[in-house]
Amino acid sequence: MAEWESIVGPELAAACCPRRFTAGTLTLDCAGPLALELLHRAPLLLERINGVLGAPLVARLRFQQGAPAVPPVPPPPEPRPQSPPRGDLPPGPVGEALAALARHIVAEG
Protein backbone atom coordinates (compact mmCIF):
# COMPACT_ATOMS: atom_id res chain seq x y z
CA MET A 1 0.00 0.00 0.00
CA ALA A 2 1.72 3.11 -1.22
CA GLU A 3 -0.51 5.37 0.90
CA TRP A 4 0.16 3.52 4.17
CA GLU A 5 1.51 6.57 6.00
CA SER A 6 -1.47 8.71 4.97
CA ILE A 7 -3.86 5.97 6.13
CA VAL A 8 -2.44 5.30 9.60
CA GLY A 9 -0.40 8.45 10.22
CA PRO A 10 3.37 8.88 10.42
CA GLU A 11 3.76 7.54 13.98
CA LEU A 12 1.99 4.24 13.31
CA ALA A 13 3.53 3.92 9.84
CA ALA A 14 6.99 4.08 11.43
CA ALA A 15 6.10 1.21 13.79
CA CYS A 16 3.98 -1.09 11.61
CA CYS A 17 3.60 -2.08 7.99
CA PRO A 18 1.37 -4.31 5.86
CA ARG A 19 2.96 -7.71 5.30
CA ARG A 20 0.38 -9.91 3.57
CA PHE A 21 -3.20 -9.85 2.34
CA THR A 22 -5.03 -13.18 2.11
CA ALA A 23 -8.76 -13.97 1.97
CA GLY A 24 -9.85 -10.63 3.38
CA THR A 25 -7.25 -10.60 6.17
CA LEU A 26 -4.50 -7.99 6.17
CA THR A 27 -1.49 -9.04 8.25
CA LEU A 28 0.50 -6.19 9.78
CA ASP A 29 4.00 -6.46 11.20
CA CYS A 30 4.25 -4.23 14.23
CA ALA A 31 6.90 -3.34 16.75
CA GLY A 32 6.66 -4.74 20.26
CA PRO A 33 3.53 -4.06 22.30
CA LEU A 34 1.99 -1.88 19.60
CA ALA A 35 -0.22 -4.81 18.59
CA LEU A 36 -2.52 -4.14 21.54
CA GLU A 37 -2.92 -0.48 20.60
CA LEU A 38 -3.60 -1.44 16.98
CA LEU A 39 -6.17 -3.99 18.11
CA HIS A 40 -8.09 -1.19 19.81
CA ARG A 41 -7.81 0.96 16.69
CA ALA A 42 -8.79 -1.87 14.31
CA PRO A 43 -12.30 -0.59 13.45
CA LEU A 44 -10.93 2.84 12.52
CA LEU A 45 -8.03 1.31 10.58
CA LEU A 46 -10.37 -0.99 8.66
CA GLU A 47 -12.58 1.97 7.76
CA ARG A 48 -9.60 4.02 6.55
CA ILE A 49 -8.01 1.15 4.60
CA ASN A 50 -11.24 0.18 2.87
CA GLY A 51 -11.97 3.85 2.19
CA VAL A 52 -8.68 4.17 0.32
CA LEU A 53 -9.29 0.90 -1.54
CA GLY A 54 -12.78 2.03 -2.52
CA ALA A 55 -14.42 -1.24 -1.47
CA PRO A 56 -14.68 -3.34 1.71
CA LEU A 57 -11.87 -5.71 0.70
CA VAL A 58 -10.23 -5.96 4.13
CA ALA A 59 -12.54 -7.66 6.62
CA ARG A 60 -10.03 -8.46 9.36
CA LEU A 61 -6.66 -7.28 10.63
CA ARG A 62 -4.08 -9.69 11.99
CA PHE A 63 -1.16 -8.32 14.02
CA GLN A 64 2.20 -10.00 13.99
CA GLN A 65 4.82 -8.77 16.42
CA GLY A 66 8.20 -8.28 14.89
CA ALA A 67 10.32 -5.58 13.41
CA PRO A 68 8.42 -3.77 10.67
CA ALA A 69 10.18 -3.25 7.36
CA VAL A 70 10.67 0.47 7.49
CA PRO A 71 13.18 2.36 5.41
CA PRO A 72 16.55 2.78 7.12
CA VAL A 73 17.39 6.11 8.66
CA PRO A 74 19.93 7.97 6.53
CA PRO A 75 23.35 8.41 8.14
CA PRO A 76 24.09 11.78 9.73
CA PRO A 77 25.98 14.28 7.59
CA GLU A 78 29.75 14.29 7.79
CA PRO A 79 31.03 16.76 10.38
CA ARG A 80 32.58 19.88 9.02
CA PRO A 81 36.29 20.33 9.65
CA GLN A 82 36.93 22.53 12.64
CA SER A 83 38.96 25.63 12.08
CA PRO A 84 41.66 26.62 14.55
CA PRO A 85 40.79 29.41 16.98
CA ARG A 86 40.56 32.79 15.40
CA GLY A 87 42.73 35.70 16.45
CA ASP A 88 39.76 37.76 17.61
CA LEU A 89 39.45 36.04 20.98
CA PRO A 90 39.36 38.37 23.97
CA PRO A 91 42.69 39.01 25.67
CA GLY A 92 43.51 37.55 29.05
CA PRO A 93 42.48 34.35 30.80
CA VAL A 94 39.08 34.07 29.06
CA GLY A 95 40.69 34.17 25.62
CA GLU A 96 43.34 31.67 26.68
CA ALA A 97 40.68 29.32 28.04
CA LEU A 98 38.63 29.58 24.83
CA ALA A 99 41.72 28.91 22.70
CA ALA A 100 42.63 25.87 24.83
CA LEU A 101 39.05 24.59 24.56
CA ALA A 102 39.10 25.02 20.78
CA ARG A 103 42.43 23.17 20.50
CA HIS A 104 41.05 20.33 22.63
CA ILE A 105 37.90 20.04 20.53
CA VAL A 106 39.91 19.98 17.29
CA ALA A 107 42.31 17.39 18.72
CA GLU A 108 39.50 15.13 19.91
CA GLY A 109 37.73 15.47 16.54
Side-chain angles (χ1 to χ4, degrees), residues 83-94:
S83 58
R86 301 183 325 189
D88 61 351
L89 294 175
V94 172

Side-chain angles (χ1 to χ4, degrees), residues 33 45 71 81 104:
L45 293 173
H104 176 73

Side-chain angles (χ1 to χ4, degrees), residues 51-63:
V52 169
L53 296 174
L57 300 176
V58 180
R60 181 174 173 262
L61 295 175
R62 179 177 172 262
F63 305 105

Side-chain angles (χ1 to χ4, degrees), residues 24-51:
T25 299
L26 179 62
T27 301
L28 301 175
D29 278 352
C30 55
L34 185 65
L36 183 60
E37 181 180 347
L38 291 173
L39 184 62
H40 291 294
R41 293 184 181 190
L44 177 63
L45 293 173
L46 284 170
E47 181 181 319
R48 287 183 178 176
I49 292 167
N50 286 323

